[in-house]
Amino acid sequence: MREYPIEHNKIVSELLDGKFIISPSPLFYTIQELEDDYTEFFIKSFNYKLNLEAEFIYLSSDEVNEKRTRDFTLFLAILSRELDYSGKNFRDKIELGSFDINETEELLRQSSKWEILEKTTVSEFDKFIKTWRSKNLIEIDGNKFKFTKAVKLFFTFAMEIAEEKLKEKTNEEKANA
Amino acid sequence: MIKLSGKYILKFLQNHYEFVQDAFNYSKPDFIIDSNILEKLIEEYNISNDPKISVTKLIDVKFCRQLPTKDFKINRSYADFLQFLFDDFTLDLPQTLKERYKTIFELFTALKTEPKASKTIVLIQNIINIIDVFLNDIHRQTQRLLSDTESLKVNADEYSDLSKRLEKAVFWIDEYIEPLNKILEKGHPESFYSALVEIQKYTSEKQYIADSFKLKREYNKLYGSVVYARAELDHNLQKLTRELRPLLDRIKSDSIILSGFYHFVENVDYPENYIVPIPSPIKKTKGSTIFKEFYSEAEFFVDQFNYKTSAVYYEEQVEELEWLPDSTYFKEQLLKEDKVEDFYLWCFDALKKHTDEITLSKYFSLTNLLLEEDLIAEYKTDERITIDLKDASIKIPKVRVYERVSN
């Protein structure tokens, strides 16, 4: 019988809860040390992919078509846009700053893109924030919230889209040249 | 005025400072101005200013000259001075700078082998000049890039368009910062910086061991210029690598994120256009004993029935029309027998020839023949026998039956 780390139960239950494990959590380093073992464990037991990024870890599945993840991406995209429009450095603010829950909801409601958000789970903002706290993507402190490092996953997603678009554009230009 | 004096030029600049600034701004970056624009500027300026200005006067003070295309070109000396005056420099491509500083290597090689003192002095003076010009170039570039980048960062109107901002940042990094870094790179043998190091090494000795006092003094000037140039370059390099580069990188990646998000939001209802699959962290699954894949497959399977209305099957109540024996046929059979000793047993046997399912109703419909008027029934004993029918067991007496003989 193989030996499991002391935190095994916690690691498995947190990840299966759909939570992100974020450095410097001790769980993060245990998984990092046993990366191969855990990768195999999750794929063989549940058919889930273990994603070990520089600062966070999570399970993903191609079979999951989660509308809530789409909603979170929309929320982040529109929040970034509004912060940029108001002359703030959106990335610093999102990665390092904290947000007043009511003010943020107000900021989004005044956005011309609210018509998109109001059709999603973002429309019940308090509930939305709490849902994502349970996944460790957001921390709540009183009437304020902060994003955890896992938010970078969605920035990477946006960068990949933009880079693909740039490639498309370059190819089109080459083709037209 | 026969000879143009410096004082006159300075007075001209002072008197018409606003006009000169306007003309300078319109002429950037090549310092060429359309003749119509220049005339319009003069006209507007003359409405509210005295002394007046004219094209002839501008040409007199050598502010500009007319090109064959009728455009006006601002004199290079003015252009340089005005850039300094308004702290507004144009950007030279680093290739241009590179060509300029390469002459330093040539002059320095010549200096090392020059036997004549008089030529040595001229070479030294030239090197000092080129270093100076080059330092000035680098300083201009850095200032210009810094101020432009700052305005990019605060999203000045001009750059509010996301893709323009991105394009600009990428262009500056690729076309200016990177090549500038190469020119100034400390470790690179062909960089401007290593040329300075070489010259410094050479002159630090020469300023003491040169043949004459005059030569020593010249080498000392060159040494001083080079040491100063190195310090200046370090300062500029620091601005480039510590401030400008990270700032531009930041603008670049921020704009990339925003434009990626923009594409996503625009296509949110068309996942096939996402290009990159959206992150797919799992849902909470703890507590479920069902393997996820099985669950989705089962759900899919069950789903396909959801749109159909449920079908209900009723068991059909078929009313059984029981076959009953044809009494006429059996009466004929009975009469053929002439005489039957045990009527009830005969009925059973007769039915048995036609069916195994002898029910009470079939049996009685046949035994009813007993009631026919043309038949006579005789009970001989009280003896009873048991007959097992399909749905009952009955005890029956032994009855003799025969045909009544008609009178």
Side-chain angles (χ1 to χ4, degrees):
Chain A
M1 196 69 183
R2 57 167 302 144
E3 269 189 33
Y4 292 103
I6 306 165
E7 305 95 332
H8 180 71
N9 185 291
K10 207 165 177 206
I11 287 172
V12 174
S13 70
E14 296 240 320
L15 287 175
L16 287 184
D17 264 355
K19 287 186 179 179
F20 287 81
I21 291 180
I22 294 158
S23 82
S25 153
L27 303 184
F28 179 88
Y29 298 109
T30 309
I31 303 173
Q32 205 174 37
E33 269 172 39
L34 299 167
E35 183 182 350
D36 292 346
D37 292 346
Y38 273 113
T39 303
E40 195 188 336
F41 172 80
F42 282 110
I43 200 83
K44 293 239 166 111
S45 321
F46 305 97
N47 205 22
Y48 288 153
K49 183 171 176 262
L50 181 77
N51 301 275
L52 212 150
E53 306 291 338
E55 291 171 300
F56 55 90
I57 296 169
Y58 68 102
L59 290 181
S60 69
S61 163
D62 292 342
E63 287 140 23
V64 175
N65 180 10
E66 253 278 57
K67 280 212 165 107
R68 281 185 309 173
T69 309
R70 183 206 63 186
D71 293 353
F72 185 84
T73 317
L74 269 176
F75 157 69
L76 193 68
I78 293 169
L79 181 63
S80 301
R81 173 185 184 268
E82 291 307 319
L83 292 173
D84 184 60
Y85 277 15
S86 58
K88 292 198 179 94
N89 199 322
F90 77 92
R91 225 164 114 199
D92 279 350
K93 177 79 179 157
I94 287 174
E95 285 179 5
L96 308 165
S98 69
F99 294 83
D100 184 286
I101 296 177
N102 295 332
E103 281 172 17
T104 309
E105 187 181 355
E106 204 45 44
L107 179 75
L108 296 174
R109 282 180 182 276
Q110 281 166 8
S111 162
S112 61
K113 300 281 176 192
W114 175 252
E115 57 180 47
I116 299 176
L117 288 181
E118 71 180 343
K119 290 176 201 140
T120 68
T121 50
V122 186
S123 59
E124 290 177 80
F125 197 61
D126 280 346
K127 200 173 151 195
F128 173 78
I129 293 288
K130 280 176 191 149
T131 304
W132 289 100
R133 175 180 59 180
S134 71
K135 307 263 175 196
N136 284 345
L137 251 168
I138 279 175
E139 285 168 6
I140 301 181
D141 181 12
N143 56 355
K144 289 190 177 286
F145 74 91
K146 278 175 82 164
F147 292 94
T148 68
K149 290 172 191 167
V151 79
K152 289 178 184 170
L153 171 67
F154 298 89
F155 284 155
T156 311
F157 167 64
M159 285 173 114
E160 284 171 358
I161 292 184
E163 272 155 21
E164 284 300 315
K165 284 301 276 181
L166 275 179
K167 262 189 229 163
E168 269 180 25
K169 204 179 157 195
T170 321
N171 290 341
E172 272 171 31
E173 279 170 4
K174 270 186 197 159
N176 293 336
Chain B
M1 184 182 57
I2 299 166
K3 199 169 181 295
L4 192 61
S5 79
K7 269 189 185 172
Y8 187 82
I9 290 175
L10 287 175
K11 208 181 270 177
F12 161 78
L13 287 177
Q14 193 182 7
N15 286 343
H16 308 292
Y17 190 82
E18 284 77 22
F19 171 81
V20 169
Q21 193 163 20
D22 279 349
F24 170 81
N25 285 334
Y26 275 103
S27 70
K28 280 190 304 188
D30 41 24
F31 305 112
I32 292 174
I33 189 166
D34 184 280
S35 60
N36 293 330
I37 292 176
L38 187 69
E39 271 161 29
K40 205 174 159 207
L41 283 179
I42 293 172
E43 201 178 302
E44 279 171 9
Y45 178 80
N46 285 343
I47 295 172
S48 50
N49 287 284
D50 225 7
K52 310 270 181 229
I53 217 164
S54 64
V55 173
T56 326
K57 192 167 182 182
L58 291 178
I59 291 172
D60 279 350
V61 294
K62 295 190 176 164
F63 180 76
C64 58
R65 60 194 153 82
Q66 196 161 26
L67 301 176
T69 50
K70 299 221 167 137
D71 291 332
F72 287 88
K73 171 102 178 77
I74 296 184
N75 185 318
R76 187 75 229 171
S77 303
Y78 275 97
D80 285 345
F81 183 56
L82 293 177
Q83 287 186 64
F84 168 72
L85 212 58
F86 304 129
D87 194 20
D88 186 352
F89 302 101
T90 51
L91 278 177
D92 287 331
L93 272 177
Q95 281 100 308
T96 322
L97 298 185
K98 202 172 169 184
E99 286 313 310
R100 262 180 244 166
Y101 87 76
K102 273 189 172 164
T103 46
I104 289 185
F105 284 100
E106 291 160 23
L107 293 174
F108 181 52
T109 314
L111 175 71
K112 284 192 283 189
T113 51
E114 180 55 52
K116 284 188 207 158
S118 56
K119 184 77 188 287
T120 305
I121 290 170
V122 177
L123 283 172
I124 289 175
Q125 284 166 353
N126 266 287
I127 294 175
I128 290 175
N129 269 336
I130 290 175
I131 290 175
D132 214 28
V133 169
F134 191 74
L135 274 187
N136 192 34
D137 283 346
I138 295 287
H139 178 73
R140 285 194 303 133
Q141 302 279 308
T142 317
Q143 285 302 104
R144 173 75 205 204
L145 283 172
L146 267 177
S147 70
D148 282 1
T149 309
E150 281 294 325
S151 78
L152 257 190
K153 188 186 152 207
V154 298
N155 303 340
D157 288 345
E158 199 181 337
Y159 301 122
S160 60
D161 185 314
L162 211 60
S163 55
K164 269 191 204 157
R165 235 195 287 171
L166 178 60
E167 230 168 71
K168 200 90 184 164
V170 172
F171 179 75
W172 283 343
I173 291 174
D174 292 351
E175 298 299 326
Y176 290 95
I177 314 285
E178 281 296 314
L180 266 182
N181 260 337
K182 270 189 192 140
I183 291 174
L184 302 176
E185 205 178 341
K186 288 184 179 176
H188 199 279
E190 280 183 19
S191 76
F192 180 70
Y193 198 90
S194 38
L196 290 182
V197 174
E198 287 279 301
I199 298 171
Q200 190 187 339
K201 260 193 231 160
Y202 183 74
T203 50
S204 69
E205 272 181 37
K206 281 282 183 185
Q207 62 178 327
Y208 299 113
I209 58 163
D211 295 340
S212 66
F213 173 76
K214 194 167 170 45
L215 266 182
K216 280 180 188 165
R217 175 73 187 122
E218 291 303 319
Y219 276 119
N220 177 256
K221 280 188 207 164
L222 182 56
Y223 177 78
S225 304
V226 171
V227 173
Y228 171 76
R230 277 185 67 177
E232 269 294 286
L233 278 186
D234 277 342
H235 185 62
N236 277 310
L237 206 59
Q238 202 167 341
K239 277 190 191 159
L240 275 179
T241 54
R242 293 222 186 125
E243 289 181 39
L244 206 54
R245 180 65 203 248
L247 204 59
L248 279 174
D249 280 342
R250 183 62 189 255
I251 290 169
K252 183 179 157 188
S253 66
D254 282 5
S255 309
I256 283 180
I257 290 176
L258 287 174
S259 67
F261 274 151
Y262 173 79
H263 177 81
F264 171 73
V265 172
E266 291 303 300
N267 289 283
V268 69
D269 289 326
Y270 311 99
E272 65 277 14
N273 291 344
Y274 287 1
I275 308 181
V276 178
I278 191 164
S280 51
I282 61 160
K283 281 192 225 181
K284 179 174 182 165
T285 55
K286 202 172 66 172
S288 165
T289 49
I290 304 171
F291 181 43
K292 181 81 194 157
E293 201 172 339
F294 168 75
Y295 182 81
S296 355
E297 279 176 12
E299 209 176 28
F300 178 76
F301 180 75
V302 171
D303 252 11
Q304 66 177 320
F305 300 111
N306 278 347
Y307 61 91
K308 288 183 188 165
T309 51
S310 54
V312 180
Y313 293 97
Y314 296 97
E315 197 161 336
E316 215 173 328
Q317 295 276 329
V318 181
E319 209 174 322
E320 199 183 340
L321 291 170
E322 198 181 0
W323 164 82
L324 286 176
D326 176 2
S327 51
T328 319
Y329 167 78
F330 281 99
K331 188 176 173 185
E332 276 171 17
Q333 300 298 315
L334 183 66
L335 293 177
K336 275 184 197 165
E337 296 280 332
D338 184 30
K339 187 164 65 179
V340 171
E341 289 300 321
D342 191 339
F343 173 72
Y344 285 107
L345 191 62
W346 178 86
C347 283
F348 183 79
D349 289 340
L351 273 175
K352 190 81 180 168
K353 286 178 194 159
H354 296 276
T355 177
D356 285 334
E357 309 267 292
I358 304 174
T359 59
L360 209 52
S361 45
K362 278 188 184 116
Y363 190 64
F364 281 145
S365 74
L366 194 55
T367 56
N368 281 346
L369 287 177
L370 205 59
L371 305 175
E372 296 278 323
E373 281 186 6
D374 49 346
L375 291 175
I376 295 170
E378 266 178 23
Y379 298 87
K380 284 174 78 184
T381 56
D382 289 337
E383 194 185 337
R384 296 282 190 276
I385 59 160
T386 304
I387 289 180
D388 288 320
L389 303 175
K390 185 175 182 260
D391 46 358
S393 281
I394 47 169
K395 283 190 172 171
I396 43 158
K398 192 174 181 182
V399 178
R400 178 199 282 175
V401 173
Y402 50 89
E403 192 179 8
R404 182 186 296 269
V405 180
S406 54
N407 297 323

